[in-house]
Amino acid sequence: MPVSAYLNTSMTKRNIITLPDPLLRKSSVDVERVDDELRALMDDMLETMYDAPGIGLAAVQIAIPRRLIVMDVNYRGEDEEGGEMPREPVCMVNPEIVVRSDEMRVHEEGCLSIPEFYAEVERPSKITVRYIDREGQEQTRECEDILATVVQHEVDHLNGKLFIDYISRLKRDRVIKKFVKAAKGMAVA
Ligand code: NI
């Protein structure tokens, strides 16, 4: 049986952790080897991301603190006729941003671990990222526009950093407080 067929039948949607889960603030560890087990994890992450729906997900967001991110910046769920949009998944293992442009871009970001909160964040508009792909090959890719933003957002996750760290302290404290309150409410309910 082809590996891809096997993996497709075993894809599982995972739970996404949210604020104030302390794991979101931990640094993830390097992935040591790209094997079928890791590819199955990539597929689970993609399934979880598409289902959310989202355009990027770091492994730590499903409580696996390893340096692995998946993205599909063009995915918008269903098209106007209700059909599924074509998928163009990108998986990056041990991604490292090696070049950042001086030119910046602003994007209204959100995060599957901070549901229903959005804020404008300014980041370099072009980056070069080095990573290992699904087949275990080293790659270097230049990214711009939204892909540059999403790669930086996801790599931040691997370092325990969240997009709310770029907004004012007042706004950040307010959103954290809201999630802490909600979590406490769920605990006693
Ligand atoms: Ni995020």
Side-chain angles (χ1 to χ4, degrees):
M1 193 182 341
V3 169
S4 58
Y6 170 73
L7 292 177
N8 280 337
T9 56
S10 64
M11 279 201 286
T12 314
K13 202 183 76 155
R14 308 281 192 106
N15 283 331
I16 297 174
I17 61 171
T18 55
L19 271 187
D21 193 314
L23 200 51
L24 290 169
R25 290 307 193 174
K26 290 264 182 336
S27 273
S28 295
V29 297
D30 277 341
V31 171
E32 291 190 352
R33 128 171 38 89
V34 179
D35 53 14
D36 285 348
E37 191 194 337
L38 192 81
R39 280 185 281 270
L41 174 59
M42 288 173 180
D43 286 344
D44 283 0
M45 286 171 63
L46 285 166
E47 185 68 12
T48 305
M49 179 190 82
Y50 285 125
D51 181 77
I55 57 173
L57 188 74
V60 67
Q61 292 181 272
I62 55 164
I64 299 173
R66 297 166 77 187
R67 300 187 83 83
L68 168 62
I69 61 177
V70 300
M71 295 156 291
D72 188 341
V73 296
N74 295 315
Y75 189 71
R76 294 285 178 280
E78 294 179 344
D79 64 20
E80 280 146 27
E81 282 85 45
E84 191 81 356
M85 295 274 290
R87 296 179 174 189
E88 295 167 38
V90 179
C91 300
M92 295 184 180
V93 177
N94 299 341
E96 196 186 338
I97 297 167
V98 291
V99 182
R100 292 173 174 82
S101 66
D102 293 331
E103 194 194 325
M104 307 290 275
R105 77 184 292 269
V106 175
H107 191 86
E108 187 174 62
E109 297 189 23
C111 181
L112 295 175
S113 294
I114 313 172
E116 289 165 41
F117 180 76
Y118 303 90
E120 286 192 342
V121 176
E122 190 182 51
R123 300 181 189 266
S125 63
K126 285 181 191 161
I127 58 159
T128 303
V129 60
R130 247 187 237 149
Y131 64 98
I132 299 167
D133 69 15
R134 239 184 117 83
E135 279 70 48
Q137 302 298 309
E138 269 191 41
Q139 302 285 351
T140 302
R141 181 165 175 171
E142 286 179 23
C143 309
E144 55 182 15
D145 301 325
I146 188 169
L147 183 60
T149 292
V150 176
V151 169
Q152 290 173 84
H153 176 119
E154 302 310 330
V155 170
D156 272 354
H157 272 300
L158 305 183
N159 298 320
K161 194 163 183 176
L162 300 169
F163 83 96
I164 53 171
D165 298 345
Y166 296 90
I167 64 177
S168 77
R169 188 179 186 142
L170 189 74
K171 281 188 190 165
R172 181 168 61 250
D173 287 349
R174 200 183 296 149
V175 66
I176 291 171
K177 208 169 155 185
K178 199 184 107 186
F179 278 90
V180 169
K181 257 186 170 173
K184 277 186 186 157
M186 279 164 70
V188 294

